[in-house]
Amino acid sequence: FSEFVRISSLHVRHTMLPIPTGLAAIPASQTEPLACCLRNVKRLRLLPGDTVGIVGLGAIGHMTAQLLKNLGMDVVGLDIDSTRAAALSSSGEGFKDPDSFEAALKAKTSQRGLDALIFTDLGMDMATFALAALRFAPVQATGIGHPVTTGLPTVDYFLSGELIEPAGAEAHYSE
């Protein structure tokens, strides 16, 4: 992170809003990431009752899980950090161990498996990238945690936005 950033005039016109009087800086700073999570959840066109897996339970993973739960989905999460996995309990079930993650999702869905799987960040960790190379759900997506194409045929969607991508950006993604 940095103290200063340069923002295009297009971005300022279409996405910047004044912080309401009385709203503290820290909650205000979460508005943009939460809006990204909401946009991405809507793009996946999930339905109430769907079971969704999230790999990567940092701030974006937890926000996504809370939105999914509020929209009526069942959430199962996986993270290498047991504290972040345990913290998912208010929105779903979190696991550190991939075998426990898989067993829980099969139990939740009567062996059917996930309806969708969201990787919050692909490209920074080879173990997560290896998981993404396998097909665990009929719909698999990643987002802007690491903003480059995965090149994987098993990842169906790259969740981004027109205001952060250059014109013609879709030509640079395999998803």
Side-chain angles (χ1 to χ4, degrees), residues 132-147:
L134 303 171
R135 176 64 71 179
F136 290 103
V139 174
Q140 295 191 166
T142 190
I144 59 170
H146 190 62

Side-chain angles (χ1 to χ4, degrees), residues 6 11 26 31 67 115 124 146 151 160:
R6 183 177 176 150
H11 202 85
I26 291 177
T31 303
L67 288 167
D115 295 296
M124 299 299 285
H146 190 62
S160 186

Side-chain angles (χ1 to χ4, degrees), residues 2-172:
S2 37
E3 283 186 59
F4 301 99
V5 294
R6 183 177 176 150
I7 301 171
S8 73
S9 61
L10 178 68
H11 202 85
V12 171
R13 279 194 309 276
H14 294 286
T15 66
M16 298 206 47
L17 301 169
I19 297 172
T21 302
L23 182 60
I26 291 177
S29 73
Q30 298 307 301
T31 303
E32 188 275 337
L34 183 59
C36 290
C37 294
L38 179 59
R39 181 190 66 234
N40 293 339
V41 164
K42 286 181 175 182
R43 284 183 175 170
L44 291 176
R45 296 185 180 108
L46 301 167
L47 301 172
D50 282 353
T51 302
V52 183
I54 300 174
V55 177
L57 299 174
I60 296 296
H62 277 274
M63 287 181 194
T64 301
Q66 289 172 6
L67 288 167
L68 291 168
K69 180 184 177 191
N70 288 336
L71 293 170
M73 288 92 179
D74 290 322
V75 179
V76 182
L78 178 66
D79 197 285
I80 58 172
D81 183 315
S82 58
T83 303
R84 292 193 311 207
L88 192 67
S89 64
S90 65
S91 304
E93 292 181 79
F95 298 93
K96 180 181 178 185
D97 171 48
D99 292 331
S100 300
F101 172 76
E102 186 176 17
L105 70 91
K106 285 183 177 180
K108 264 186 178 298
T109 64
S110 302
Q111 302 296 316
R112 178 178 48 81
L114 294 169
D115 295 296
L117 181 58
I118 301 168
F119 294 91
T120 59
D121 179 9
L122 280 178
M124 299 299 285
D125 178 74
M126 289 313 297
T128 304
F129 198 78
L131 280 175
L134 303 171
R135 176 64 71 179
F136 290 103
V139 174
Q140 295 191 166
T142 190
I144 59 170
H146 190 62
V148 296
T149 185
T150 65
L152 296 172
T154 53
V155 178
D156 307 300
Y157 296 99
F158 187 91
L159 303 170
S160 186
E162 60 275 354
L163 292 175
I164 60 171
E165 297 282 358
E170 60 276 355
H172 300 284

